[in-house]
Amino acid sequence: MKYYNDETNRAGMKLLFMAVQMVVILIVLAFIYTALVAIRLAVAKQGLSPLMYLPVLFVLPVFPFLLYRYRRWFNAGRMLYAYSWTLASASLIIVLLYLYIDQIVG
């Protein structure tokens, strides 16, 4: 007869959370790369200042720091809070990058 073991469930959830974070960071890094390419084209064709790179380059170190913070929340027992903030911050960053690129290119 098997007994309920909360540690097994916690380890499985931690593995799932780490997998979700890896997928999310890959998606956000792909959008950051696309934004950098779009800015490079806009700088070359429209003669914009290279300072246009700064907001995108700001996101590059900030997002992994946020993911590290969310992982600490997860390990502290705030699992649903960490999941929701991970997905919310990723979607917010993607939307803000799209809006920024649309403002520059458009």
Side-chain angles (χ1 to χ4, degrees):
M1 178 177 206
K2 265 187 140 174
Y3 291 102
Y4 176 75
N5 187 359
D6 197 37
E7 291 302 317
T8 304
N9 289 342
R10 185 175 298 271
M13 287 302 294
K14 186 173 182 177
L15 183 67
L16 181 64
F17 181 68
M18 296 299 277
V20 166
Q21 276 198 331
M22 283 189 274
V23 168
V24 166
I25 198 166
L26 287 175
I27 291 170
V28 171
L29 288 177
F31 279 99
I32 289 173
Y33 175 73
T34 305
L36 289 172
V37 169
I39 291 173
R40 185 183 72 207
L41 292 173
V43 166
K45 288 188 178 182
Q46 298 176 0
L48 299 174
S49 170
L51 291 175
M52 295 294 182
Y53 287 107
L54 285 180
V56 179
L57 292 177
F58 174 74
V59 172
L60 199 57
V62 169
F63 188 66
F65 172 75
L66 289 175
L67 289 182
Y68 171 72
R69 186 173 173 197
Y70 302 149
R71 186 174 47 204
R72 285 186 20 207
W73 289 350
F74 185 87
N75 292 334
R78 302 169 75 183
M79 295 177 188
L80 186 58
Y81 197 65
Y83 267 110
S84 60
W85 273 93
T86 298
L87 297 177
S89 63
S91 61
L92 180 67
I93 286 173
I94 290 170
V95 167
L96 291 176
L97 282 175
Y98 266 131
L99 290 175
Y100 181 66
I101 295 302
D102 183 49
Q103 181 183 10
I104 289 174
V105 175

